[in-house]
Amino acid sequence: MAKSRVLVVGTGGIGTVCAYALEHGGLAEVTAVMRSTHDRAVKQGIDIDSVDFGHNIKSWRPTAITRSVPDVSEKDTEPFEFIVVTTKNIPDVPPTVADIIAPAVTPGKTAIVLAQNGVNIEKPLAARFPTNPLISSVVFTGASIFPSGTILHSDTDMQRIGPFSSPLVPAKVAEDAARRYVSLYNPTGNLDITFNADVPAMRWRKLAYNSSFNAVATALQMDTSRIRMCQHLVEELVIPIILEIRAVAAAKGITLQEDLINAVMTQDEPESYFKPSMLQDYEKGNLMEVENLVGEPLREGESLGVSMPTLRIIYNLVKGLQVKIMERKGLWEARYQPDNPYK
């Protein structure tokens, strides 16, 4: 029986773990898109220290390694059954996810797995690829990449996978694609990779942390332990945002857990001095996932008539930090626009 062809786009820590797990399951052959690490991976392979798969994996390579997303319209290029996207999702700066993966998408055949954070991330893809099933993977895995190229997979692989709604794709087709992906990733059932049809609830629950602690930590440039040590920051910024997120979810018919505040508050160990992903990106001078983690939930809430004053302030602060990064990267020019009344 032929193995399923899977393309993994975004091979940092999480993406490499996904690629390894899919190949390790024995039912998939993975093509990994690697840009900056391409030559090293081809010549030396990838070393992985994994809590799930072993601490001494040396010189591993997926079935194929490529610098760019393959074009399936080219002669002798077989279509992909799945494209797994684990890149940062930064729609405010081109190219978009849809632009990046477009050459590899076969209409009506390729299922697109978004292993990314945030809400409404599927909407641009549903518009661009209306006949392709879209799959949500909410990832709770901890993995990072060292300067040497070694992958440290420190927290067990945990994902909740289900179908996004797409207007022209029958619900049964999308659900079957999601279940098929789970069966490829976790054929023996040994991993904490499970099907979960309630995609909106999973995504809004994760936003309760990302819109609050992740964004507040970035705006203040403080780790989560120090924030929790300052009661006024928790009570005036973090908890109000958690409550605003819960209110938006409720307005959408989604009931988040009763102990949501406590669950978010204790997600990081009290003295872990953890820096969430957005803050890590800012400190490295990388673009941040501002829109899908903060902007989209804010816009969604306000469109439903939910008052979100705290999240609005934090959104504008981190959006300002994003502009600073964009200017350093040559993506924003410090000049007044013609319609700016504050010149």
Side-chain angles (χ1 to χ4, degrees):
M1 178 176 153
K3 293 185 177 182
S4 174
R5 277 174 52 78
V6 180
L7 180 70
V8 175
V9 181
T11 43
I14 299 295
T16 303
V17 170
C18 289
Y20 184 87
L22 284 160
E23 293 243 354
H24 186 264
L27 302 180
E29 58 177 39
V30 172
T31 297
V33 180
M34 297 183 172
R35 286 171 290 187
S36 59
T37 58
H38 176 275
D39 291 347
R40 181 169 58 198
V42 169
K43 290 175 186 172
Q44 303 171 16
I46 304 162
D47 294 344
I48 303 173
D49 177 352
S50 170
V51 67
D52 289 335
F53 303 108
H55 296 288
N56 197 32
I57 300 165
K58 297 294 185 185
S59 302
W60 175 76
R61 295 176 181 83
T63 297
I65 300 172
T66 178
R67 286 187 193 278
S68 57
V69 171
D71 187 342
V72 293
S73 69
E74 292 180 355
K75 187 180 177 183
D76 300 328
T77 302
E78 293 292 319
F80 292 100
E81 184 176 357
F82 294 95
I83 297 174
V84 182
V85 185
T86 62
T87 57
K88 296 280 184 186
N89 196 340
I90 307 173
D92 37 330
V93 178
T96 64
V97 169
D99 292 334
I100 291 167
I101 67 172
V105 176
T106 302
K109 176 175 175 59
T110 308
I112 301 165
V113 182
L114 298 179
Q116 299 174 302
N117 289 322
V119 291
N120 296 336
I121 63 174
E122 77 283 6
K123 289 186 176 180
L125 296 171
R128 183 78 168 268
F129 311 112
T131 62
N132 293 83
L134 303 178
I135 299 170
S136 163
S137 178
V138 178
V139 180
F140 300 94
T141 305
S144 55
I145 184 167
F146 290 130
S148 64
T150 296
I151 302 296
L152 175 63
H153 174 206
S154 52
D155 292 332
T156 193
D157 199 352
M158 176 181 171
Q159 298 181 40
R160 297 294 174 259
I161 294 163
F164 279 121
S165 176
S166 187
L168 298 184
V169 178
K172 179 70 164 57
V173 171
E175 179 181 331
D176 287 349
R179 291 187 182 277
R180 162 84 171 147
Y181 180 67
V182 171
S183 71
L184 291 180
Y185 201 113
N186 191 21
T188 64
N190 290 340
L191 300 173
D192 193 4
I193 311 293
T194 58
F195 178 84
N196 188 311
D198 198 352
V199 169
M202 294 298 299
R203 290 195 164 269
W204 282 94
R205 165 60 187 90
K206 196 168 183 186
L207 270 182
Y209 178 92
N210 279 328
S211 296
S212 62
F213 267 121
N214 202 346
V216 170
T218 305
L220 299 177
Q221 295 172 50
M222 291 174 73
D223 60 69
T224 57
S225 295
R226 285 181 169 85
I227 290 172
R228 286 166 64 181
M229 290 168 188
C230 300
Q231 283 183 249
H232 67 287
L233 297 179
V234 173
E235 293 168 1
E236 298 296 330
L237 295 175
V238 177
I239 290 177
I241 291 173
I242 296 171
L243 294 175
E244 288 170 12
I245 291 295
R246 186 185 356 229
V248 181
K252 294 177 67 65
I254 300 164
T255 302
L256 298 181
Q257 65 202 77
E258 200 169 310
D259 66 337
L260 183 64
I261 291 173
N262 184 64
V264 173
M265 205 60 53
T266 56
Q267 190 164 320
D268 301 329
E269 291 296 323
E271 295 186 14
S272 63
Y273 301 96
F274 178 67
K275 293 181 177 181
S277 60
M278 200 186 297
L279 176 56
Q280 290 185 43
D281 283 333
Y282 181 75
E283 290 184 344
K284 292 173 186 172
N286 294 333
L287 293 164
M288 303 176 292
E289 294 185 292
V290 171
E291 294 304 327
N292 290 327
L293 299 187
V294 193
E296 277 300 310
L298 174 65
R299 288 185 284 272
E300 189 84 359
E302 293 188 338
S303 74
L304 293 166
V306 179
S307 176
M308 307 185 77
T310 317
L311 191 62
R312 172 163 284 282
I313 290 170
I314 293 298
Y315 171 59
N316 282 288
L317 289 173
V318 293
K319 197 173 178 182
L321 295 177
Q322 183 88 311
V323 169
K324 291 171 67 175
I325 297 170
M326 290 170 68
E327 183 174 10
R328 286 198 291 268
K329 290 181 173 292
L331 300 170
W332 184 85
E333 185 180 348
R335 63 183 178 87
Y336 287 96
Q337 296 299 320
D339 59 348
N340 188 330
Y342 307 112
K343 185 173 179 180

